[in-house]
Amino acid sequence: MERAVLVYTTWPSVVEAERAGRQIVEKRLAACVNILPGMVSHYWWQGQIERAEEVVMVIKTRASLAEQVRDAVKGLHSYEVPSIMVLPVESVDANYYAWILKETEGHEPVA
Amino acid sequence: MERAVLVYTTWPSVVEAERAGRQIVEKRLAACVNILPGMVSHYWWQGQIERAEEVVMVIKTRASLAEQVRDAVKGLHSYEVPSIMVLPVESVDANYYAWILKETEGHEPVA
Amino acid sequence: MERAVLVYTTWPSVVEAERAGRQIVEKRLAACVNILPGMVSHYWWQGQIERAEEVVMVIKTRASLAEQVRDAVKGLHSYEVPSIMVLPVESVDANYYAWILKETEGHEPVA
């Protein structure tokens, strides 16, 4: 059964996030993306703890498109290993959900 | 069994989000709201891709109040189709959870 | 079976969040923390509705480390009752997940 999900991703800049987010929406892989600038990360990378200024992008779509969103993010991202985490949504307002479905129509579900 | 949830919503401005968030808390439909300003959205609307400056509001409450929170958001929101997505929480610190329950007491659960 | 989770926490300042986040990463209790400044909260506290400027910190780790992350947050936090909510992740990019596991190795799972 189809349902909504949030795909939580992080990006090095607002410019890269907006460019990628717009393309993901254009391809109707998502109905909407929400970009939160000014995020600060601390993380391990090649044996060191790094601090970086990044951006969060939450991608709102159907569960059946999550893999295609993941592939699109990887293709549009400048990182070697981008953060792509799919969060389950247990319920969504019926009108908003209908809108998500309408705006993400036309994809063959990945088998 | 009762449990905690996060209700992810988006708003056109901090002013509208704070006004609505405060009323939702006042009505004890939620123990707390977290508002994140400066969000940028890209989304389909009536055949066009729009870009908007918005605000995220995360509403922390009990699962049994999610529908009443949804109705309150719809009543307080200036959009025709507001984004209201309920995220499951798999575990929450016991003291914090007790606080959520205490501050959201007094509602007849929706049948 | 091991899996990834997001731990959603809130803090009184970027300084406190960054200091705590860095220690949590240093102890390999998480591979990464994402800190979002400029958040505004409305919440009940001792019979009043308070408004506070806060910070969100999303902690990315393994499910089996969620309790140790909770204990670390409580030990590093200046609040009496910090907000610590574990969100399930239904899927994560395989490379990113491998990175999370690699950077959070070396802990005896809590029985």
Side-chain angles (χ1 to χ4, degrees):
Chain A
M1 204 198 90
E2 191 60 278
R3 54 195 172 79
V5 290
L6 293 185
V7 184
Y8 180 93
T9 65
T10 57
W11 299 77
S13 70
V14 174
V15 170
E16 184 172 314
E18 289 213 50
R19 192 188 309 135
R22 196 170 184 92
Q23 287 187 47
I24 288 168
V25 169
E26 248 157 33
K27 290 175 188 162
R28 293 194 179 274
L29 289 176
C32 176
V33 295
N34 295 163
I35 296 163
L36 286 159
M39 182 267 276
V40 173
S41 281
H42 290 262
Y43 58 94
W44 282 103
W45 189 250
Q46 297 171 340
Q48 303 276 338
I49 296 183
E50 304 281 348
R51 179 188 187 279
E53 315 236 324
E54 293 188 305
V55 168
V56 169
M57 177 151 78
V58 172
I59 301 169
K60 299 178 188 177
T61 190
R62 308 167 176 228
S64 65
L65 289 176
E67 283 187 19
Q68 291 177 62
V69 166
R70 178 203 60 199
D71 295 342
V73 168
K74 291 176 91 164
L76 294 160
H77 212 292
S78 55
Y79 290 178
E80 215 184 292
V81 182
S83 166
I84 307 166
M85 306 176 90
V86 181
L87 307 184
V89 172
E90 65 177 55
S91 69
V92 52
D93 172 64
N95 297 336
Y96 191 72
Y97 183 52
W99 175 74
I100 289 177
L101 294 183
K102 181 174 149 267
E103 302 299 358
T104 54
E105 267 169 5
H107 292 276
E108 285 312 307
V110 174
Chain B
M1 202 197 91
E2 190 60 278
R3 53 194 172 79
V5 290
L6 292 185
V7 184
Y8 181 93
T9 65
T10 58
W11 300 76
S13 70
V14 174
V15 171
E16 184 172 312
E18 288 214 52
R19 193 187 310 136
R22 196 169 185 91
Q23 287 187 49
I24 288 168
V25 169
E26 248 157 33
K27 290 176 186 161
R28 292 194 180 275
L29 289 175
C32 176
V33 295
N34 294 163
I35 297 164
L36 285 158
M39 183 266 275
V40 172
S41 280
H42 290 262
Y43 58 95
W44 282 103
W45 189 250
Q46 298 171 342
Q48 302 277 337
I49 296 182
E50 304 281 350
R51 179 188 187 279
E53 316 238 327
E54 293 190 304
V55 168
V56 170
M57 178 152 76
V58 172
I59 301 169
K60 299 179 188 179
T61 189
R62 309 166 175 229
S64 65
L65 289 176
E67 283 187 19
Q68 292 177 62
V69 166
R70 179 204 60 200
D71 295 342
V73 167
K74 293 177 91 165
L76 293 160
H77 212 292
S78 54
Y79 290 178
E80 212 184 295
V81 182
S83 167
I84 307 166
M85 306 176 90
V86 182
L87 307 184
V89 172
E90 65 177 57
S91 68
V92 52
D93 172 64
N95 297 335
Y96 192 71
Y97 182 53
W99 174 75
I100 290 177
L101 293 182
K102 181 175 152 267
E103 302 298 358
T104 54
E105 269 169 5
H107 292 277
E108 283 314 306
V110 174
Chain C
M1 201 197 92
E2 191 58 280
R3 54 195 172 80
V5 291
L6 292 186
V7 185
Y8 180 93
T9 65
T10 58
W11 299 76
S13 70
V14 174
V15 170
E16 183 172 314
E18 289 214 50
R19 192 187 311 135
R22 196 170 185 92
Q23 288 187 47
I24 288 168
V25 169
E26 250 157 31
K27 290 176 188 159
R28 294 194 178 276
L29 289 175
C32 176
V33 295
N34 295 162
I35 296 163
L36 286 159
M39 182 267 276
V40 173
S41 281
H42 291 260
Y43 58 95
W44 283 102
W45 188 250
Q46 297 172 340
Q48 302 277 336
I49 296 182
E50 304 281 348
R51 179 187 187 279
E53 316 236 325
E54 292 188 305
V55 167
V56 169
M57 178 152 77
V58 172
I59 301 168
K60 300 178 187 177
T61 190
R62 309 165 174 227
S64 65
L65 289 176
E67 284 188 20
Q68 292 177 62
V69 166
R70 178 204 60 199
D71 294 343
V73 168
K74 293 177 90 165
L76 293 159
H77 212 292
S78 55
Y79 291 177
E80 214 183 293
V81 183
S83 165
I84 307 165
M85 305 175 89
V86 181
L87 306 184
V89 172
E90 65 177 54
S91 69
V92 53
D93 172 64
N95 297 338
Y96 192 72
Y97 183 52
W99 174 75
I100 288 177
L101 294 183
K102 181 176 148 264
E103 303 298 358
T104 53
E105 267 168 5
H107 292 276
E108 284 313 308
V110 174

